[in-house]
Amino acid sequence: MTLEPATVVETLASVLSGPAALHEPTITGNEWDYVKDCLDTGWVSTAGGYVDRFEKMLADFTGVGHAVATVTGTAALHAALVLAGVKADDEVIVPALTFVGTANAVTYLGAVPHFADAEERTLGLDPAKLEAHLDDIAEITDGICRNKVTGRRIAACVPVHTFGHPVDLDPLAVVCEKFNLVLVEDAAESLGSYYNGRHTGNHGRLSVLSFNGNKTVTTGGGGAILTNDADLAAKAKHLTTTAKVAHKWEYSHDIAGFNYRLPNINAALGCAQMEQLSDFLEGKRRLAQAYEAAFANIDGVRFFTEPPFAKSNYWLNVLLLDPDMAALRDDILAATNDSDFMTRPAWTPLHRLPMFTDCPKMGLTVAEDLYARLINIPSSPGLAEAING
Ligand SMILES: *Cc1c(COP(=O)(O)O)cnc(C)c1O
């Protein structure tokens, strides 16, 4: 079969039993009970037991030593970059192909995103291309990596596990080591994704998760900082809770902290969601397998599957059009949305957005190419219940 917009609609219809959103939460566990408990007891805000419980569940599930819950994933990134030592006028390596929050967090510090290219194998940062670029433009003096072109320090690297597919972390960690960059994983999309058997977010000095409404697990809005360093975890808690010094009654704060603490009522939702995470992941994997089979015999498009070293959560499922079919992308988006199958293109590459056009960058041909050919298709865990056939 050759590719036409109608072919994609028919193929989606062969898997899905009816209209489908891109990613909806599944609220089928103890959400009502735990939130009611918050309301009944009055513990709805900055204190209460669900925050500690949620943080413990995150640490247990990911295998990372410590988790600190925050109001959003972007807030978690902001605080994590502070803790990574990023300062005003530093540069931070981020992928061009990511959600805008990754780069926004860098700018909150007065630092500058430095955009890096993707590789098709993972949809994430290309370690070899990054190394070649840094060999070209960076020099290390007294342990500090400096961009020879801009004169700024390059302080950190924030890879993203794009749509839940792990970036190639081992070679990336080697590049970060070589150039003395702090590795901060943006694992916002990859709760339940593993790199060589180890959960994502367990490789950088710090990493972050997001629990926005469209993520695999939701708290309404929320995020978390993960780290294996107990000292950094304590600092993360302090920094995100107004840096209040413990005292019976005095209001004393020792740095200008953030009010980024996740409310108890949101954490209650999160606890109920975490109890179902294994089921969500299983459902998402079954849906991905059904898509893979359904699209296998259609020329001109392929269903993107996890890289060989990875077990992915398939957060947002990806169709990749063949290069000579890229011109069909918008017609496919129109036809599928008209048929009530919600589909979306990838994010506009960030170096094209007005606030980022002057930022330093390498050649971004793969990010541009992926953007031109990529379509996200319905991915909610609940859709697995009703797979046709
Ligand atoms: C969702 C997401 C975030 C954080 O988003 P919030 O809505 O602030 O929780 C950060 N980076 C990436 C790549 C994301 O997908």
Side-chain angles (χ1 to χ4, degrees):
M1 247 200 291
T2 53
L3 190 62
E4 285 172 45
T7 325
V8 177
V9 173
E10 283 157 26
T11 310
L12 290 177
S14 77
V15 173
L16 305 168
S17 56
L22 197 62
H23 204 292
E24 282 180 324
T26 301
I27 314 278
T28 49
N30 288 316
E31 286 87 351
W32 283 96
D33 289 343
Y34 294 171
V35 171
K36 183 170 187 301
D37 182 37
C38 294
L39 300 176
D40 287 344
T41 58
W43 291 105
V44 294
S45 186
T46 50
Y50 286 107
V51 175
D52 290 345
R53 196 162 140 195
F54 184 50
E55 289 173 342
K56 171 122 187 6
M57 290 175 98
L58 293 172
D60 287 348
F61 187 88
T62 59
V64 185
H66 310 272
V68 175
T70 59
V71 280
T72 64
T74 307
L77 259 177
H78 181 194
L81 290 171
V82 172
L83 295 164
V86 175
K87 299 273 192 302
D89 217 34
D90 283 344
E91 292 179 10
V92 175
I93 304 288
V94 298
L97 193 67
T98 179
F99 174 61
V100 70
T102 315
N104 282 347
V106 172
T107 68
Y108 299 164
L109 288 156
V112 179
H114 183 138
F115 295 114
D117 206 10
E119 61 172 335
E120 184 165 337
R121 217 163 44 105
T122 66
L123 309 174
L125 281 188
D126 181 335
K129 201 167 171 183
L130 177 62
E131 181 173 22
H133 174 66
L134 291 174
D135 278 338
D136 199 25
I137 62 113
E139 67 184 0
I140 299 179
T141 28
D142 300 330
I144 290 175
C145 179
R146 212 164 278 288
N147 182 335
K148 289 185 281 183
V149 185
T150 62
R152 295 190 201 104
R153 177 172 81 130
I154 308 178
C157 175
V158 185
V160 176
H161 305 297
T162 317
F163 303 127
H165 296 291
V167 77
D168 198 353
L169 278 161
D170 282 347
L172 192 64
V174 172
V175 176
C176 288
E177 188 117 348
K178 174 174 165 183
F179 290 95
N180 204 14
L181 309 178
V182 181
L183 179 61
V184 178
E185 287 174 72
D186 182 343
E189 302 175 357
S190 65
L191 181 61
S193 298
Y194 296 80
Y195 177 80
N196 284 331
R198 196 161 173 225
H199 199 282
T200 51
N202 206 348
H203 300 72
R205 186 179 303 172
L206 297 138
S207 64
V208 304
L209 300 171
S210 166
F211 309 108
N212 190 31
N214 64 350
K215 295 283 167 37
T216 301
V217 154
T218 187
T219 57
I225 300 167
L226 304 177
T227 182
N228 282 308
D229 181 326
D231 183 47
L232 269 184
K235 285 186 170 136
K237 192 75 173 183
H238 191 60
L239 181 63
T240 55
T241 55
T242 68
K244 187 171 183 299
V245 181
H247 190 279
K248 261 188 181 158
W249 51 74
E250 289 293 345
Y251 296 105
S252 181
H253 307 259
D254 56 2
I255 50 170
F258 302 131
N259 186 7
Y260 279 174
R261 187 186 170 89
L262 185 72
N264 199 50
I265 198 165
N266 298 82
L269 261 178
C271 290
Q273 289 268 292
M274 283 302 290
E275 291 169 352
Q276 303 163 81
L277 176 54
S278 301
D279 292 340
F280 293 169
L281 293 170
E282 197 217 313
K284 289 171 75 61
R285 181 159 285 271
R286 265 194 291 132
L287 179 63
Q289 282 163 351
Y291 280 140
E292 187 184 0
F295 282 95
N297 295 321
I298 299 172
D299 292 334
V301 62
R302 83 184 157 92
F303 179 77
F304 189 87
T305 52
E306 60 205 353
F309 48 68
K311 184 167 185 199
S312 300
N313 64 2
Y314 287 92
W315 171 55
L316 282 192
N317 288 302
V318 168
L319 291 181
L320 264 190
L321 303 175
D322 287 357
D324 59 341
M325 293 291 162
L328 280 181
R329 188 197 73 167
D330 288 358
D331 290 342
I332 293 171
L333 286 167
T336 47
N337 283 288
D338 285 349
S339 306
D340 291 327
F341 297 126
M342 188 170 164
T343 60
R344 289 291 181 266
W347 313 277
T348 302
L350 299 187
H351 61 287
R352 290 207 214 160
L353 301 182
M355 63 286 196
F356 297 133
T357 45
D358 293 334
C359 291
K361 56 180 182 286
M362 66 166 78
L364 297 169
T365 48
V366 179
E368 290 278 5
D369 175 57
L370 288 171
Y371 168 67
R373 300 194 284 122
L374 193 152
I375 295 174
N376 288 126
I377 58 177
S379 303
S380 313
L383 292 172
E385 312 259 308
I387 291 172
N388 283 327

